[in-house]
Amino acid sequence: MTKYKGIIYASLGASFFGISSIIAGILFNRCSIEPGWLVTTRMLFSGLLLLAWLALRKNNIFSVWTSLKSSLRIIAFGIFGVLFAQTSFLLSVFYGNAAIATILQSLGPSIIIIILAIKSKAIPRRLDIIAIFLSLIGVFLLVTNGNLGELSFSASALVWGLLSALGVCAYTLIPCPLIKEHSPLNVVAWALLIGGLISNFLHPVTNLPANFDQVDLLLVSLIVIVGTLLAYSLYINSLKYIEPHIVGMLGMVEPVTAILISTLFLGISFLSFQKIGIVVVFLSLFLINFPTKKK
């Protein structure tokens, strides 16, 4: 039962990330908003809101700072995990497009499995390897409809996209020891706040984009609450119940969610290869969660 709870948490978190990507795309088209400002705003306010909520519920929000080892890890998670992943992905979208960014970021789970295999000195399961290839194929079909000619690569988009795949690994693996000793919500709250404070030095939240109106404020609020606070809380909570590589693979729900929302609200219809891509992605999720027979 606990494993299914982890799967639900990770899937919901990925879905909320997908919603956030759609809203961010709308914002980029509506006003002259910069990725750095959006990163600062979403992390800073979501971190503050989550810490305030935990404090009101009488949680010891300073528990992660009781040891040097824990303190260093939470700082590393905030900077090299959450901040790095958010910034690199949005920059890949900004300099390229969502298709390029999503495909490159989807390499993250593959890297996670390789890292864990090296650490444990064990060869990944055959099903894991097959699932990796299926997930990559599925995401590719979803965002390109099987047409390589639709991709418009640029050097900046390529570099930031590859870095975002490393970001996926970082925010999946770094917090694992922390959430075994501390509340996952406490961990993610401090990571968001730390990342937001660091980003604020480069992109101050007070520098509002030009033509920023009430609709933009509503969209940013949705990104802060749904696409950041809830998304990261659910994602990090899932690591209590299931293995990191499974959590990483469930992140494939993100592009599926983004395309579904685009279809329902932005008038984009599914093409033939995109429908196949959805089936392939969910097949990969089934395989990665298929239990190994005990000998």
Side-chain angles (χ1 to χ4, degrees):
M1 184 61 68
T2 55
K3 181 177 181 179
Y4 291 113
K5 183 185 290 186
I7 292 172
I8 291 172
Y9 283 175
S11 299
L12 280 176
S15 298
F16 290 160
F17 282 132
I19 293 172
S20 176
S21 300
I22 292 295
I23 298 175
I26 295 173
L27 276 170
F28 288 146
N29 292 326
R30 277 184 54 85
C31 59
S32 57
I33 190 170
E34 294 184 359
W37 183 88
L38 185 57
V39 169
T40 299
T41 303
R42 71 186 301 181
M43 294 183 66
L44 193 61
F45 285 103
S46 59
L48 286 171
L49 287 172
L50 187 52
L51 280 174
W53 183 78
L54 290 171
L56 288 174
R57 292 179 61 87
K58 309 299 181 181
N59 287 276
N60 181 12
I61 61 174
F62 298 104
S63 62
V64 296
W65 302 102
T66 53
S67 70
L68 178 61
K69 185 177 181 180
S70 176
S71 299
L72 292 176
R73 186 171 286 273
I74 194 68
I75 292 173
F77 180 39
I79 298 174
F80 302 109
V82 183
L83 176 59
F84 181 70
Q86 283 292 314
T87 303
S88 56
F89 178 73
L90 285 179
L91 282 171
S92 181
V93 174
F94 187 77
Y95 287 115
N97 54 56
I100 295 173
T102 305
I103 290 173
L104 295 174
Q105 189 186 50
S106 67
L107 297 174
S110 304
I111 301 173
I112 290 174
I113 290 178
I114 294 172
I115 291 174
L116 294 178
I118 294 174
K119 183 178 179 181
S120 62
K121 298 180 180 180
I123 299 175
R125 294 187 312 162
R126 186 177 301 173
L127 284 179
D128 289 341
I129 296 173
I130 294 173
I132 289 171
F133 283 106
L134 284 177
S135 63
L136 293 175
I137 292 170
V139 172
F140 170 78
L141 291 175
L142 281 169
V143 299
T144 67
N145 193 40
N147 187 355
L148 274 172
E150 293 182 4
L151 292 176
S152 53
F153 283 92
S154 69
S156 297
L158 180 61
V159 171
W160 286 115
L162 292 173
L163 290 175
S164 72
L166 295 178
V168 170
C169 301
Y171 74 65
T172 301
L173 298 175
I174 291 177
C176 288
L178 285 171
I179 63 175
K180 292 179 181 178
E181 302 176 0
H182 306 283
S183 164
L185 291 181
N186 198 14
V187 171
V188 75
W190 279 110
L192 287 168
L193 181 58
I194 291 168
L197 289 173
I198 297 295
S199 181
N200 192 61
F201 284 106
L202 300 173
H203 307 280
V205 71
T206 53
N207 292 344
L208 291 176
N211 304 319
F212 192 80
D213 58 22
Q214 293 179 337
V215 175
D216 298 322
L217 178 60
L218 175 61
L219 294 175
V220 170
S221 299
L222 288 174
I223 289 178
V224 169
I225 296 172
V226 177
T228 308
L229 193 155
L230 290 178
Y232 272 105
S233 297
L234 288 166
Y235 190 90
I236 298 302
N237 252 314
S238 70
L239 291 168
K240 289 177 59 179
Y241 307 105
I242 53 179
E243 294 84 357
H245 73 276
I246 296 179
V247 175
M249 289 299 296
L250 287 169
M252 293 298 173
V253 175
E254 179 181 346
V256 175
T257 302
I259 288 181
L260 286 174
I261 294 176
S262 297
T263 301
L264 294 174
F265 297 101
L266 302 180
I268 298 175
S269 59
F270 284 135
L271 300 175
S272 56
F273 280 106
Q274 289 178 317
K275 293 177 182 178
I276 296 173
I278 292 175
V279 175
V280 172
V281 167
F282 281 99
L283 176 59
S284 73
L285 298 181
F286 171 77
L287 290 179
I288 203 70
N289 288 286
F290 195 82
T292 303
K293 292 182 179 181
K294 295 182 179 180
K295 296 182 179 181

